[in-house]
Amino acid sequence: MNIHIFKNEEDFIQTAASQVTSLLNANPYAKLGLATGSTPVGLYKRLIEMHRQGLVSFAQATTYNLDEYVGLPENHAESYRTFMNEKLFNHIDINIDHTHIPNGNAADPEEECRAYDKMLEENGPVDLQLLGIGHNGHIAFNEPGDSLTSGTHITTLQAKTREANARFFPSIDDVPTHAITMGVGSIMKARQIMLLIRGEDKAEIAKRALTGPISTDCPASLLQCHPNVIVLLDQGAGRLFK
Ligand code: GLP
């Protein structure tokens, strides 16, 4: 793992953005794996700015998102489709038909999982997979447990995850109980993974995921097995590495 800790926010964001823009400038047809959550928001803002400055185009790119809540209407303010449209897609030159997010309202959710994996298998591998990390070590919505699932699947969100995401909803009761998520196996197929970790509150899980034992109790620790991972930490998240 290639771990970088940044003293200032600007360098953190620009390094993350440069990874994406260098890839697209070298290969305009690149396949990007995208993530939601508050962590990548600064990166998406910077990508929009760089696009406006003519420094990058997404016109030929294809994107695959990691996960989506089950049961939220697609146009719900907190659906990951809405998040991606508002935080990135609506402001760049991407063809919206080339942006893929699991459908959390599919009539047959199991079939939706199979179809998402089939699409990833046929179109993949993803060139660069962006990831954040949950306080419990989850990646996408792969929650810690005795076992992990390789492919796209429906998962029950843990109380800690629903509490963390309650800040985006009127109350915790409004946070969905289930999500559809790419599995760890699908994520690990990416050619390169870029894990972003921000904030003091992520310091402990960052240390555990990056230097602790590889265990399903901390899904992000499996990334230690991937041959091409870059991890960007801000000073707060990296404070236990000194
Ligand atoms: C969410 C997402 C993850 C994300 C994580 C951390 O629930 N499913 O993909 O990485 O939790 O989110 P944040 O960046 O807001 O801390």
Side-chain angles (χ1 to χ4, degrees):
M1 282 182 149
N2 202 342
I3 301 175
H4 303 267
I5 299 169
F6 294 88
K7 286 211 175 89
N8 79 62
E9 185 73 11
E10 169 59 24
D11 292 346
F12 175 90
I13 290 177
Q14 192 53 50
T15 303
S18 297
Q19 290 286 319
V20 178
T21 58
S22 311
L23 170 66
L24 283 169
N25 289 332
N27 173 15
Y29 291 88
K31 289 158 266 183
L32 301 173
L34 298 180
T36 51
S38 48
T39 305
V41 171
L43 162 63
Y44 293 156
K45 269 193 196 145
R46 179 57 50 87
L47 290 176
I48 293 166
E49 283 164 19
M50 291 179 76
H51 168 65
R52 287 183 178 151
Q53 291 161 3
L55 299 174
V56 65
S57 169
F58 297 81
Q60 317 294 341
T62 310
T63 66
Y64 300 91
N65 264 76
L66 290 164
D67 47 14
E68 178 59 283
Y69 289 115
V70 167
L72 282 189
E74 203 179 76
N75 62 0
H76 187 283
E78 296 307 331
S79 78
Y80 285 169
R81 168 50 80 181
T82 302
F83 176 101
M84 290 308 304
N85 287 350
E86 290 182 351
K87 303 283 189 248
L88 185 65
F89 299 151
N90 289 350
H91 312 284
I92 56 175
D93 60 345
I94 198 155
N95 178 344
I96 204 75
D97 294 339
H98 293 172
T99 67
H100 304 283
I101 301 183
N103 177 6
N105 292 296
D108 182 344
E110 296 300 334
E111 177 50 32
E112 171 65 11
C113 294
R114 279 193 294 274
Y116 206 73
D117 276 341
K118 188 162 178 275
M119 177 184 65
L120 289 168
E121 199 59 47
E122 286 172 2
N123 303 353
V126 158
D127 294 295
L128 177 65
Q129 177 66 61
L130 263 182
L131 286 180
I133 185 172
H135 292 100
N136 60 2
H138 75 217
I139 47 175
F141 271 132
N142 291 275
E143 299 281 38
D146 293 338
S147 63
L148 292 172
T149 304
S150 177
T152 302
H153 59 283
I154 308 290
T155 183
T156 304
L157 300 180
Q158 291 189 355
K160 204 169 174 180
T161 299
R162 293 185 67 235
E163 278 159 30
N165 289 2
R167 67 193 193 277
F168 301 113
F169 291 84
S171 86
I172 187 144
D173 297 333
D174 299 302
V175 183
T177 53
H178 291 79
I180 180 166
T181 181
M182 273 170 65
V184 174
S186 314
I187 293 169
M188 295 283 277
K189 284 184 186 154
R191 287 187 210 276
Q192 185 179 26
I193 293 176
M194 177 163 70
L195 172 63
L196 304 180
I197 316 184
R198 292 182 59 208
E200 296 253 338
D201 55 319
K202 296 274 177 77
E204 277 167 32
I205 196 63
K207 179 87 174 165
R208 193 173 146 213
L210 305 180
T211 66
I214 297 167
S215 155
T216 58
D217 281 339
C218 180
S221 68
L222 272 85
L223 298 173
Q224 293 181 44
C225 302
H226 191 283
N228 192 2
V229 180
I230 175 168
V231 189
L232 310 186
L233 300 111
D234 73 359
Q235 207 168 16
R239 75 184 148 85
L240 299 177
F241 284 78
K242 279 152 223 155

